[in-house]
Amino acid sequence: MENGVSNGGPQTDLTSRVLGRPPKEMSGALWFALGSFTSFVIPFFGVVMMGYGARELLEARGSRGFLFAVAEGIVIAAVALFANSGMGMLLVGEVLCVLGVVWCMRNHAATLAGICAVIVATALVNIGIEAAVATAAGSSLSQVVDGLLAYMVSVAQDAAGTGIQAELIVRQIAPVLKALWPFTYVASAGMDALAAGIGSYLMYVRTSGIPRVPAIVAFDMPMWPVGVLIASILGLSASLSGFPGAEVLLSVSVTALMSVRFIFAIQGFAVVLTFANRFRFGCLGRTLLLVLSIWLETMFFIVSIVGLIDVWANFRKLTRGPQES
């Protein structure tokens, strides 16, 4: 556990070498290639397989194995772009995310800041690819966003039904959806990072032979997400003045706020599970507590607020020292 991120890393002790299965370079390359093509059909499981294969290459030959994974990813992305430019461009972001997460998780080196940097970089690359595709088609990114917004508004209208009240609700939601469009790319990159992390962890278990399950109760975030929260709130306030470029600032601020909220939510769930352990909740009690916590988080952001307060209150009485971010 470093800076709130629990991950697997290569083990060098005798026990792990006896219990685990040695990684093989050819096997890793095969898993990576199979995952790349599977991602066209089932994206999440395809990225899991890519992370699994890239981690095996890293475990087999260290930095050279990782460079081999980078080269393989470039070749596969190039072939996919040549065969189908649209699908190939989707694969570029996934390859970048997988390689970034696997590299972060080497030797227990993953940090919350590192994983978040990979997610942000992947989201920016995907936005850039979307803009390039739109330009090549004689359109623009703003037109693509308008089309996406119109679709989301139509879905919201179908869900709200008909009538004056439903129309008022849709009109109130439309500006929020317009400001939140970059968050769709961040959420997609976050899911890719989660899938890549699962694949990397599974390969760690296979090579070490020690199934160390990450414990959310041990999650403890550094202070920088609080700074991002404050900056996003200030950005939201500034965007209300209506100066040129205020819409861009609004989108960036709302996206940052919604993204960092997940970090506070994880911190809050860690607090909830810690209290469940302390009071020895059974399976039924834990299930009901988690269902209630998820509902409160969805409706009122209560768990995120608990996580934010825990940064200073330290409900779990953790021993905290200087943290790198």
Side-chain angles (χ1 to χ4, degrees):
M1 169 67 59
E2 296 187 21
N3 293 326
V5 178
S6 180
N7 57 84
Q11 301 291 321
T12 58
D13 60 284
L14 180 60
T15 304
S16 63
R17 291 305 182 190
V18 172
L19 295 178
R21 295 172 55 189
K24 298 179 180 179
E25 188 175 2
M26 186 60 66
S27 173
L30 181 60
W31 276 108
F32 191 89
L34 289 175
S36 300
F37 292 108
T38 303
S39 65
F40 295 136
V41 183
I42 312 176
F44 188 87
F45 289 105
V47 175
V48 170
M49 293 167 65
M50 291 167 65
Y52 189 85
R55 182 61 180 266
E56 184 165 15
L57 287 167
L58 178 63
E59 294 283 346
R61 295 189 59 189
S63 298
R64 291 184 178 181
F66 181 78
L67 290 176
F68 185 89
V70 172
E72 184 180 6
I74 293 173
V75 171
I76 292 175
V79 172
L81 286 168
F82 179 78
N84 187 318
S85 59
M87 299 299 291
M89 288 184 176
L90 292 175
L91 184 61
V92 170
E94 293 174 345
V95 169
L96 172 65
C97 187
V98 167
L99 295 174
V101 169
V102 169
W103 181 254
C104 285
M105 292 181 68
R106 75 195 190 285
N107 299 327
H108 299 269
T111 64
L112 181 62
I115 298 297
C116 289
V118 171
I119 293 174
V120 172
T122 303
L124 291 175
V125 167
N126 287 334
I127 292 174
I129 290 174
E130 195 80 52
V133 171
T135 302
S139 182
S140 64
L141 181 61
S142 61
Q143 292 176 328
V144 173
V145 172
D146 290 340
L148 176 63
L149 176 63
Y151 171 74
M152 295 172 69
V153 169
S154 66
V155 171
Q157 193 165 14
D158 292 340
T162 58
I164 298 177
Q165 186 176 5
E167 185 176 351
L168 291 174
I169 293 174
V170 172
R171 287 183 179 180
Q172 292 175 347
I173 290 177
V176 177
L177 296 178
K178 186 175 183 180
L180 271 175
W181 72 265
F183 180 70
T184 59
Y185 293 91
V186 176
S188 176
M191 289 301 296
D192 286 342
L194 174 63
I198 292 173
S200 179
Y201 168 75
L202 291 175
M203 175 51 61
Y204 154 74
V205 172
R206 203 202 79 170
T207 55
S208 68
I210 303 175
R212 188 186 65 181
V213 180
I216 191 175
V217 294
F219 182 88
D220 190 31
M221 68 180 186
M223 286 295 295
W224 66 261
V226 179
V228 174
L229 174 65
I230 295 173
S232 62
I233 293 175
L234 293 176
L236 285 172
S237 302
S239 66
L240 298 178
S241 61
F243 64 91
E247 289 188 1
V248 176
L249 179 61
L250 176 63
S251 294
V252 172
S253 300
V254 171
T255 300
L257 180 63
M258 290 300 297
S259 300
V260 81
R261 169 204 167 188
F262 283 95
I263 301 176
F264 293 117
I266 296 173
Q267 183 93 352
F269 278 110
V271 173
V272 171
L273 291 176
T274 297
F275 277 93
N277 292 339
R278 185 174 300 174
F279 292 102
R280 299 181 179 180
F281 279 34
C283 293
L284 178 60
R286 286 174 183 271
T287 302
L288 294 176
L289 180 62
L290 285 176
V291 170
L292 176 62
S293 300
I294 292 172
W295 181 79
L296 290 173
E297 173 62 20
T298 304
M299 299 300 297
F300 308 108
F301 304 154
I302 296 297
V303 180
S304 296
I305 295 173
V306 171
L308 175 60
I309 297 174
D310 182 60
V311 174
W312 291 278
N314 194 9
F315 295 122
R316 294 168 289 169
K317 301 297 186 290
L318 300 176
T319 302
R320 289 171 172 169
Q323 291 182 329
E324 299 176 1
S325 60

